[in-house]
Amino acid sequence: QVQLVESGGGLVQAGGSLRLSCAASGRTFSSYAMGWFRQAPGKEREFVAAISWSGSGTTYADSMKGRFTISRDNAKNTMYLQMNNLKPEDTAVYYCGAALRYFGGYSKSYDYWGQGTQVTVSS
């Protein structure tokens, strides 16, 4: 089992940047592929980005390519999401997830979730 805690959210103006972190505790962090998802009010949870167990593989939702960068530090049991050129439509609660046997954007294949961190982008 793994526990996940997101941090780094906040209020930022359009065009600004934020870096989210997801700290893991419990089972060996490198046993999990990791992902970021987000959920805006009244909308379903959507895939943002995912990173493989070692960090050698990454995948992004099309709308985030070129603006967001996912990374992980297995020595620090932490995953990151660098978000640049933020837009008002990026406003959402951002969640990190951990998957033992899956790498990708299908949320139902993730085994564990954090509580989320709010990101608000003002225009």
Side-chain angles (χ1 to χ4, degrees):
Q1 189 169 347
V2 66
Q3 293 77 44
L4 304 173
V5 179
E6 303 95 336
S7 62
L11 174 64
V12 63
Q13 289 188 332
S17 298
L18 282 174
R19 188 175 83 151
L20 305 184
S21 298
C22 174
S25 61
R27 187 168 172 170
T28 305
F29 182 59
S30 58
S31 298
Y32 299 91
M34 301 293 294
W36 287 101
F37 291 75
R38 69 186 186 185
Q39 188 166 16
K43 295 188 177 181
E44 293 187 354
R45 188 170 296 191
E46 71 170 329
F47 171 66
V48 174
I51 189 164
S52 64
W53 296 261
S54 66
S56 60
T58 59
T59 184
Y60 297 87
D62 287 343
S63 62
M64 286 67 161
K65 287 180 181 177
R67 297 192 300 126
F68 292 7
T69 303
I70 190 171
S71 61
R72 67 189 295 166
D73 186 337
N74 285 348
K76 295 183 178 179
N77 293 345
T78 305
M79 174 181 64
Y80 306 96
L81 184 68
Q82 178 67 43
M83 305 187 294
N84 298 328
N85 190 23
L86 283 161
K87 305 174 182 180
E89 51 264 42
D90 293 318
T91 295
V93 177
Y94 283 71
Y95 297 90
C96 66
L100 269 174
R101 297 178 183 84
Y102 174 78
F103 162 51
Y106 186 55
S107 63
K108 288 182 168 55
S109 291
Y110 282 73
D111 302 294
Y112 301 100
W113 294 96
Q115 293 301 304
T117 186
Q118 176 71 47
V119 171
T120 303
V121 184
S122 63
S123 56

